[in-house]
Amino acid sequence: MPDEEPHAIRIHLDRVLAERGMTLTELAAQVGITVVNLSVLKNGRAKAVRFSTLSRICDVLECQPGDLITHDPAGPA
């Protein structure tokens, strides 16, 4: 299996969940996604995310996509 391509996208789901006092399991249930798939996103290992999923996450967490995802040109993950 080839190495993952480096990228400069950072995921801040942990921080937003902590600010909301919500667990990953609670978010997964409310969004309708498995905890495993949400964990892949949270840990920055996701290769893609559907806009519909991102929209549901933002709805549940009452946030904007930019609160969850940022670009850090300083270097790869």
Side-chain angles (χ1 to χ4, degrees):
M1 178 175 273
D3 290 334
E4 284 191 25
E5 193 173 319
H7 61 81
I9 300 298
R10 303 290 173 259
I11 305 297
H12 307 288
L13 191 53
D14 273 342
R15 178 181 45 99
V16 177
L17 283 171
E19 290 170 356
R20 304 299 190 275
M22 184 179 284
T23 67
L24 197 65
T25 302
E26 291 169 329
L27 179 61
Q30 291 185 41
V31 169
I33 187 172
T34 67
V35 174
V36 171
N37 284 337
L38 201 52
S39 181
V40 168
L41 176 62
K42 178 184 72 88
N43 292 319
R45 294 188 321 261
K47 294 183 186 252
V49 61
R50 291 178 189 231
F51 283 157
S52 59
T53 300
L54 182 58
S55 181
R56 288 193 310 267
I57 291 170
C58 288
D59 287 344
V60 171
L61 295 177
E62 298 180 352
C63 68
Q64 294 295 313
D67 297 328
L68 298 171
I69 301 170
T70 58
H71 178 255
D72 179 9

